[in-house]
Amino acid sequence: MPVNNLLPKDFTWGFATASYQIEGSFDKDGRGPSIWDKFTKTPGKIRDESNGNIATDSYNRWKEDLQLLKEYGVKAYRFSISWSRVIPKGGRNDEVNQAGIEFYRKLIEELVRNDIVPFITLYHWDLPQELQDRYGGWLNKEEITQDFVHFAKVCFTSLGDIVKNWITVNEPWCVTVLGYGNGIFAPGHISNTEPWIAAHNLLIAHAHVVNLYREEFKSSQRGQIGITLDCHWMIPYDDSPENKEAQARAIDFRLGRFADPIYKGYYPLRIKTILQDRLPDFTPQEIALVHGSSDFFGLNTYTTHFIRDGGQDSDELNGNVKTGHTRKDGTELGTQSDLPWLTTYAPGFRSLLNYLWKTYRKPIYITENGFPVRNENSLSVDEAIHDKDRIEYFKGYTNAMLDAINEDGVDVKGYFGWSLLDNFEWAEGYQVRFGVTHVDYKTQKRTPKDSALFLKNWFDDHLQK
Ligand code: GBH
């Protein structure tokens, strides 16, 4: 195979998970409650009224999960730390739970022993409930900044000798828009001012964590640190000026509102113009800290949407646009998944990678990418493991990435499939399956799906030896 069909030697790949979605053991060994423990008790918020009390029981079965990672031949594993397992009440003056640290320490040591590089997310949505109750969580800039920095410091101190890749926050858009805007995620607030305040504070808290790492840990621990943002690729529905402008606006509302302050040093003009006083200002010291506060571009991406201008009455949180995946001529963009917002469209992935590289010029890690097969949850294990549509998806997306790297010159450094296991899919409960491993939630039996083997072989074939 010619070299331009290959990935560089140091390219890394693996699978991703998140603490609340897999760990279970919600009250074991001193773990304190998180906002998701509480939120899942609110009637009507979770499709099957389920929660993460047991999930995939990975707190107990982590060795088995690690075995799967080995079997799949990965070079890396991305997972998150449950803040309230490490500091049950979450705050800088609260007690640290040694058992929590020990759990992650054991897991990481075992990963390293098996040549699997850990990528750790500090915040994948499970804020200690106590911090929400005490001061409103992400709404209180001073408090959340100090507490997040303290939590990060505990992690760097106790784990940083063997962890070289840190991600501060997973998907600030979800944290702030779904958590504080439309109430679909914990803590379930509905507001048109809070999401902007929470997002602003999150950027500042993130930046302080990065600053701490760079000042106190980087020179001895020699790792990298950054943030993961999420974005679909977006295509204007047609060539009309309104829809082209709507596309640019939708990208700003999803991505630019986080990426521009971090990589360029200011909020997008479109956001300022629309929000006016509702968008907080950075002090000069704050923006100096936020600007440049990510060593890489962490990207979670799943799909592509067509974008149309939605007029003043449509959803401001998305930039007043209408989204869809049906073309003007009535044809569909790609294969429909088990979720309305997600269809396959690999060329959109390539376009997004090009856009990010051109706009921000940062090396990219794809920290999540995956596909829930339509109606998979109604299938038997024997049927579910032959996940044709997921394979088709991964085939398209990995090859699109390869072309972005080798044909277009985009600097992509790694790829993580979502997810290692079927797991607790937030508001969808256990009804939607994203795993390359099937999980029988009654017995916790894990069965590899065909897509796991597909990715193993694909990376075997495409990594320069
Ligand atoms: C990720 O979020 C999460 O990081 C992960 O925990 C989760 O399990 C995984 O994806 C699968 O869902 O308004 O059109 O965007 C992905 C981001 C946020 C994308 C919610 C879909 C709702 C529809 N998702 N969003 S849309």
Side-chain angles (χ1 to χ4, degrees):
M1 215 182 287
V3 165
N4 71 353
N5 265 338
L6 296 179
L7 295 165
K9 252 197 193 106
D10 64 349
F11 190 92
T12 194
W13 82 280
F15 295 101
T17 61
S19 48
Y20 191 72
Q21 296 181 273
I22 66 162
E23 286 180 2
S25 295
F26 71 108
D27 59 357
K28 214 175 149 190
D29 298 340
R31 179 183 177 278
S34 81
I35 54 174
W36 274 90
D37 293 282
K38 176 163 183 198
F39 184 71
T40 48
K41 292 188 186 131
T42 320
K45 289 295 186 185
I46 311 298
R47 192 161 133 195
D48 53 9
E49 304 288 327
S50 64
N51 55 51
N53 287 2
I54 300 172
T56 61
D57 194 29
S58 291
Y59 185 73
N60 297 311
R61 292 169 200 262
W62 62 272
K63 283 196 176 142
E64 204 181 325
D65 295 345
L66 201 143
Q67 232 15 71
L68 287 169
L69 289 166
K70 278 176 72 174
E71 199 179 313
Y72 299 164
V74 305
K75 295 170 79 171
Y77 176 44
R78 172 178 180 242
F79 62 98
S80 80
I81 292 183
S82 157
W83 185 339
S84 62
R85 207 181 275 295
V86 171
I87 309 176
K89 291 193 168 160
R92 55 200 180 277
N93 298 315
D94 297 318
E95 213 178 309
V96 173
N97 177 30
Q98 218 45 50
I101 293 179
E102 274 316 303
F103 168 69
Y104 294 108
R105 181 87 204 171
K106 273 188 315 197
L107 166 64
I108 295 162
E109 282 175 354
E110 199 61 23
L111 285 167
V112 173
R113 204 169 294 136
N114 285 285
D115 289 326
I116 299 172
V117 176
F119 278 66
I120 295 193
T121 311
L122 290 170
Y123 188 75
H124 200 124
W125 309 351
D126 43 0
L127 189 79
Q129 180 63 44
E130 175 72 19
L131 303 186
Q132 194 71 45
D133 297 340
R134 252 181 222 170
Y135 53 73
W138 294 102
L139 294 174
N140 188 320
K141 182 170 82 180
E142 306 301 333
E143 295 287 340
I144 196 69
T145 298
Q146 293 191 54
D147 286 347
F148 192 37
V149 166
H150 174 73
F151 165 56
K153 188 166 187 167
V154 169
C155 295
F156 299 151
T157 306
S158 57
L159 308 170
D161 57 329
I162 47 175
V163 176
K164 306 298 161 202
N165 301 280
W166 296 98
I167 293 161
T168 55
V169 180
N170 182 69
E171 300 186 352
W173 184 89
C174 289
V175 174
T176 59
V177 170
L178 305 180
Y180 291 83
N182 60 24
I184 291 174
F185 281 4
H189 292 197
I190 296 172
S191 164
N192 75 351
T193 51
E194 286 186 9
W196 305 102
I197 298 167
H200 187 77
N201 297 345
L202 184 151
L203 282 169
I204 291 166
H206 142 84
H208 278 277
V209 168
V210 171
N211 188 52
L212 167 77
Y213 186 76
R214 289 177 179 163
E215 301 241 295
E216 287 182 32
F217 295 92
K218 196 178 171 105
S219 63
S220 57
Q221 299 188 348
R222 307 192 172 281
Q224 55 176 347
I225 185 162
I227 195 166
T228 278
L229 308 179
D230 71 299
C231 197
H232 316 311
W233 181 235
M234 311 208 191
I235 305 177
Y237 185 65
D238 59 23
D239 275 345
S240 71
E242 309 86 79
N243 290 340
K244 283 181 167 167
E245 172 59 23
Q247 180 238 18
R249 200 166 62 239
I251 293 177
D252 277 351
F253 271 72
R254 174 70 68 145
L255 184 80
R257 52 184 287 205
F258 299 105
D260 287 12
I262 292 173
Y263 300 105
K264 294 179 174 177
Y266 47 83
Y267 277 124
L269 186 60
R270 285 188 190 88
I271 306 257
K272 275 196 181 160
T273 310
I274 292 173
L275 294 175
Q276 301 187 12
D277 302 350
R278 284 181 296 145
L279 188 69
D281 283 325
F282 292 111
T283 66
Q285 293 90 327
E286 285 169 348
I287 193 60
L289 218 52
V290 170
H291 188 195
S293 61
S294 191
D295 293 335
F296 49 81
F297 199 112
L299 171 70
N300 290 354
T301 192
Y302 290 83
T303 193
T304 294
H305 284 173
F306 288 115
I307 303 293
R308 257 189 287 183
D309 185 40
Q312 286 305 308
D313 306 332
S314 59
D315 188 0
E316 186 199 64
L317 292 165
N318 282 319
N320 297 310
V321 300
K322 293 198 184 100
T323 64
H325 32 73
T326 309
R327 292 190 185 85
K328 216 174 177 179
D329 67 9
T331 58
E332 292 296 316
L333 204 48
T335 306
Q336 184 58 45
S337 76
D338 211 20
L339 287 166
W341 57 270
L342 206 173
T343 53
T344 52
Y345 189 63
F349 182 40
R350 182 170 173 180
S351 301
L352 176 62
L353 291 173
N354 273 276
Y355 172 85
L356 296 178
W357 179 239
K358 193 180 85 195
T359 312
Y360 301 111
R361 283 277 149 185
K362 271 279 164 190
I364 300 167
Y365 283 90
I366 293 135
T367 42
E368 284 179 30
N369 179 241
F371 187 83
V373 175
R374 197 161 191 192
N375 294 328
E376 191 176 299
N377 198 40
S378 64
L379 305 178
S380 67
V381 194
D382 295 339
E383 295 166 327
I385 59 172
H386 302 304
D387 51 344
K388 250 176 55 269
D389 285 359
R390 186 175 287 106
I391 291 175
E392 180 215 18
Y393 178 92
F394 279 137
K395 190 187 226 168
Y397 277 65
T398 47
N399 283 304
M401 172 178 76
L402 194 64
D403 288 344
I405 295 171
N406 289 326
E407 311 278 328
D408 311 334
V410 180
D411 188 6
V412 184
K413 296 245 175 278
Y415 176 93
F416 293 85
W418 184 270
S419 177
L420 175 64
L421 305 161
D422 291 336
N423 58 42
F424 177 72
E425 180 48 33
W426 309 111
E428 306 294 332
Y430 295 99
Q431 302 306 306
V432 174
R433 294 172 178 267
F434 270 92
V436 296
T437 311
H438 180 275
V439 176
D440 178 335
Y441 294 113
K442 288 205 190 75
T443 61
Q444 293 294 347
K445 187 173 170 6
R446 278 95 160 116
T447 313
K449 300 180 193 175
D450 294 347
S451 57
L453 189 68
F454 169 81
L455 282 176
K456 177 186 197 299
N457 290 337
W458 193 89
F459 281 100
D460 268 354
D461 290 346
H462 291 91
L463 272 167
Q464 251 177 77
K465 301 276 152 32

